Amino acid sequence: MDLKIIAPKALQGTVTLPASKSISNRVLVIRELMRADFGIDNLAECDDTEVLRRAFLSIKSAKNATIDINGSGTAMRFLTAMFAVTDGEFVLRGNNRMHERPIAPLVTALKTLGADIDYLAAEGFPPLKVCGHGLKGGRIDMPGHVSSQFASALLMVAPLLDNGLELHFTTPATSLSYIQMTIEMMRCFGADVAWTANDTIRVMPTPYIYNARSYSVEADWTSASYWFAMQLLCHDADNRLSFSNLPSSSLQGDAIVPELFRRLRSSEPFEWNFASTPDLVQTIAVCCYALGKPFRFTGIDTLRIKETDRIAALEEELGMRIVPDADGTFITPPPVDASRNVFRTHGDHRMAMSLVPLAFCLPHIVIRDAEVVSKSYPSFWKDLSAIGFAVTQER
């Protein structure tokens, strides 16, 4: 589905943001590990979360199951660890891109703990066969720079290990805010988990406990970033866009969004280390391009192994080079090219949504394969229309 987008003259209205899929996915995994049945209010309605829901339904009736997680990296990582401690035999597979995304650090760590996991194709990559059983636990040394989801997957199953877990990062952990989110949510469910050093997390073999009848999921700050970008690039200074459900106190590292947009409005070049907030890179890159603002991004290495190579995709769609640089050299984006108004999403939901604010800089834009937003924000195009955007299907 290709969509033609024309921006309104002004932004006015109220947006109800989707639930955080990061929080939704973690609470689903923890609830399943607890074998509990408490309710979850405001659970995300998106592809990633639906993959986990379907997976858990499928294993309720059979101890042997093949799970197709399609393009959900979160599901692949979380389910690999969860199935390793769940009695049964499970096959985890996904789409072609998923089979190109590395999972060796997580599999190696689980095997060190005694897990029975086999690669069914290329060594170090999905698909996987997991034969689950109880694990003793102990100490794991694991690189922290590849994916925070490897750490989160191990941490969430750690209370079920006979001896708990001591997780030691051999390199600095990336996306640290997501690891901290996992820790805080585990504590909410009674886990005994703490940092014992700057590079080490200890989880005691204390069972999860939750006495409340339901758990409420926050609205998603990453989704809010696209609307903040629209407000920034809208030419009407009197725009009145509001959000009905954004939490002021949040588990999400991306709650830094207001601060980043304050910096974008300054006259200074933009400089930021995105190691803890990688999902905001595309939004900020588009804003810098639209504003002609010099910038320096660091901490973006993990973007190479996301749904697409997000750095390469940004370079291709915006016509500029984005090079993480340690010596302080700033990148000056080229002027907005009026002839560059048709954008590919590269199979990535965040590419699709981060490019939409450019509609305020051009007479119209076209987003190819716009349906990819279902991965995290299925109502995005409907919400755009409700605020006043003209959103029509290209044929």
Side-chain angles (χ1 to χ4, degrees):
M1 176 180 68
D2 300 343
L3 294 180
K4 179 179 178 181
I5 313 292
I6 300 175
K9 298 294 184 184
L11 282 173
Q12 296 184 6
T14 300
V15 177
T16 300
L17 293 163
S20 165
K21 76 181 182 73
S22 297
I23 295 175
S24 293
N25 293 343
R26 283 163 174 76
V27 73
L28 279 175
V29 170
I30 292 172
R31 185 175 70 173
E32 188 67 20
L33 289 168
M34 293 174 65
R35 301 290 186 262
D37 60 358
F38 60 82
I40 303 175
D41 298 329
N42 196 37
L43 186 70
E45 297 178 357
C46 62
D47 291 351
D48 272 14
T49 302
E50 184 58 26
V51 164
L52 285 173
R53 290 183 71 253
R54 287 200 308 267
F56 296 149
L57 285 173
S58 69
I59 65 173
K60 286 187 185 303
S61 56
K63 289 298 183 183
N64 301 319
T66 295
I67 309 295
D68 185 350
I69 56 82
N70 195 16
S72 175
T74 305
M76 179 61 75
R77 282 78 176 259
F78 288 3
L79 290 177
T80 297
M82 187 185 136
F83 288 161
V85 299
T86 303
D87 289 340
E89 185 174 293
F90 310 95
V91 172
L92 278 167
R93 61 178 68 256
N95 60 19
N96 290 337
R97 173 60 178 169
M98 182 54 55
H99 294 171
E100 298 171 348
R101 297 176 69 178
I103 198 167
L106 175 60
V107 171
T108 300
L110 288 165
K111 284 186 170 183
T112 301
L113 296 172
D116 185 355
I117 305 174
D118 294 314
Y119 297 111
L120 298 181
E123 187 82 9
F125 299 86
L128 305 173
K129 179 180 177 182
V130 185
C131 296
H133 53 77
L135 300 179
K136 290 293 186 183
R139 178 185 167 99
I140 289 293
D141 294 319
M142 189 179 73
H145 67 279
V146 183
S147 172
S148 67
Q149 290 177 358
F150 296 161
S152 288
L154 288 167
L155 291 172
M156 284 190 289
V157 302
L160 279 68
L161 307 182
D162 290 347
N163 300 317
L165 179 71
E166 185 176 68
L167 178 59
H168 172 249
F169 297 112
T170 58
T171 59
T174 190
S175 303
L176 196 58
S177 64
Y178 289 94
I179 296 175
Q180 194 59 38
M181 173 192 290
T182 302
I183 290 172
E184 294 301 329
M185 290 187 67
M186 290 173 63
R187 287 172 175 163
C188 177
F189 290 94
D192 184 350
V193 51
W195 291 89
T196 59
N198 290 337
D199 57 3
T200 305
I201 303 171
R202 173 67 180 167
V203 185
M204 302 301 292
T206 303
Y208 284 120
I209 299 172
Y210 192 63
N211 295 321
R213 297 179 62 182
S214 64
Y215 181 92
S216 183
V217 178
E218 298 175 5
D220 184 43
W221 268 104
T222 318
S223 297
S225 73
Y226 312 121
W227 296 97
F228 274 70
M230 293 177 221
Q231 289 179 300
L232 177 70
L233 300 183
C234 179
H235 301 300
D236 176 38
D238 192 34
N239 70 75
R240 291 184 292 276
L241 189 65
S242 61
F243 305 100
S244 65
N245 58 342
L246 260 182
S248 55
S249 176
S250 176
L251 291 170
Q252 303 167 67
D254 284 359
I256 195 70
V257 161
E259 171 60 24
L260 296 189
F261 278 86
R262 279 192 290 271
R263 291 172 180 246
L264 281 169
R265 286 186 167 88
S266 78
S267 59
E268 299 297 318
F270 185 91
E271 182 174 7
W272 192 259
N273 186 329
F274 286 92
S276 286
T277 55
D279 286 342
L280 298 178
V281 169
Q282 290 141 296
T283 310
I284 303 301
V286 167
C287 289
C288 289
Y289 168 73
L291 297 171
K293 179 181 281 290
F295 65 91
R296 182 168 74 98
F297 292 171
T298 53
I300 64 175
D301 293 347
T302 59
L303 270 68
R304 294 285 187 192
I305 58 169
K306 297 290 188 178
E307 287 82 346
T308 186
D309 180 336
R310 286 179 172 171
I311 299 173
L314 282 168
E315 290 175 329
E316 180 178 335
E317 299 310 313
L318 302 181
M320 65 179 178
R321 290 282 292 154
I322 300 175
V323 183
D325 193 320
D327 67 7
T329 301
F330 287 96
I331 301 162
T332 300
V336 174
D337 184 351
S339 68
R340 187 186 289 271
N341 69 337
V342 178
F343 299 103
R344 294 173 55 227
T345 60
H346 300 258
D348 183 358
H349 56 131
R350 302 211 184 281
M351 281 299 298
M353 293 182 283
S354 66
L355 290 163
V356 164
L358 291 177
F360 287 103
C361 307
L362 300 164
H364 75 272
I365 63 171
V366 174
I367 302 293
R368 301 287 190 208
D369 302 317
E371 68 276 3
V372 294
V373 301
S374 64
K375 184 175 174 67
S376 63
Y377 193 165
S379 66
F380 182 69
W381 305 118
K382 180 181 176 181
D383 290 353
L384 275 186
S385 297
I387 288 298
F389 283 77
V391 181
T392 55
Q393 190 165 346
E394 286 278 281
R395 300 188 183 278

